[in-house]
Amino acid sequence: MPILNRSSALVCAVFAMISVLPNASAGGTLFGPSVPASAVPPTPESLARMYAGKTENWGGGAAAYWAANGTFRAVNPTEQSIGIGKWYVTTASRMCYEGRWYWRQDFGVEDSTFRTCTRFLIDEDGQMWTTTKARSGPWFPFDPSKLQRGNQVSERFETLQDLLGVDAQDQ
């Protein structure tokens, strides 16, 4: 009987893992259930209403406020960073936000511009799905309970802005 070397053992282990994972052709992916082919984008108007004037909980104390006037502010206390800029919904039902992030780095403060767009689909059961990747995904179920009415970011934003010593004006 041949002795398996490390690479052969690794191939066997990976094959064993793959054989017990959900099958994408059976309606699932490695990231969970797949989005039904019949899912359609929400209207741009409904997507804009869903975000306008709400704070989105990003987890771990991080959050973003999507103001009705199209500006946004984001905070991540764990990483001592803030983001500021504008948000908008495209005619293709993508929610995009762009601006500048500021964060503490070593003994100073760094900053960088960014642009992120999220795609949305709604399936026949009313479940909304999102991805920041191409239409092929991966897609994730959207949890509307992460959006709460009102601005729950400003106080933490101003505290971090003072800590970082930056004059981050709405862009």
Side-chain angles (χ1 to χ4, degrees):
M1 173 176 219
I3 298 175
L4 295 177
N5 62 28
R6 285 184 188 176
S7 60
S8 296
L10 179 60
V11 169
C12 289
V14 169
F15 179 75
M17 286 174 39
I18 290 172
S19 66
V20 297
L21 290 173
N23 185 338
S25 63
T29 68
L30 295 179
F31 299 105
S34 60
V35 178
S38 60
V40 297
T43 65
E45 296 80 15
S46 67
L47 196 54
R49 278 192 308 274
M50 185 172 80
Y51 275 92
K54 304 228 176 80
T55 297
E56 184 175 13
N57 178 354
W58 286 349
Y65 174 63
W66 314 104
N69 69 1
T71 61
F72 90 93
R73 288 183 170 196
V75 296
N76 185 335
T78 304
E79 295 182 3
Q80 295 186 333
S81 64
I82 58 173
I84 190 164
K86 63 181 180 173
W87 73 276
Y88 51 92
V89 174
T90 70
T91 57
S93 294
R94 292 184 187 139
M95 196 285 272
C96 300
Y97 57 103
E98 56 190 61
R100 185 169 294 281
W101 278 107
Y102 299 89
W103 67 94
R104 185 177 294 270
Q105 180 75 37
D106 298 323
F107 299 103
V109 174
E110 298 289 324
D111 66 284
S112 179
T113 59
F114 66 91
R115 179 174 187 258
T116 302
C117 290
T118 303
R119 297 172 184 261
F120 291 85
L121 290 175
I122 301 174
D123 67 22
E124 292 172 347
D125 296 328
Q127 172 65 56
M128 188 171 282
W129 298 82
T130 64
T131 187
T132 56
K133 304 295 181 192
R135 175 107 174 143
S136 60
W139 289 84
F140 301 94
F142 178 75
D143 182 2
S145 71
K146 292 187 176 201
L147 288 169
Q148 299 294 316
R149 188 171 310 280
N151 183 348
Q152 301 168 21
V153 167
S154 283
E155 186 176 322
R156 290 179 290 163
F157 181 92
E158 291 167 6
T159 298
L160 283 170
Q161 181 180 6
D162 289 346
L163 177 73
L164 296 171
V166 296
D167 184 21
Q169 299 298 316
D170 290 339
Q171 301 178 10

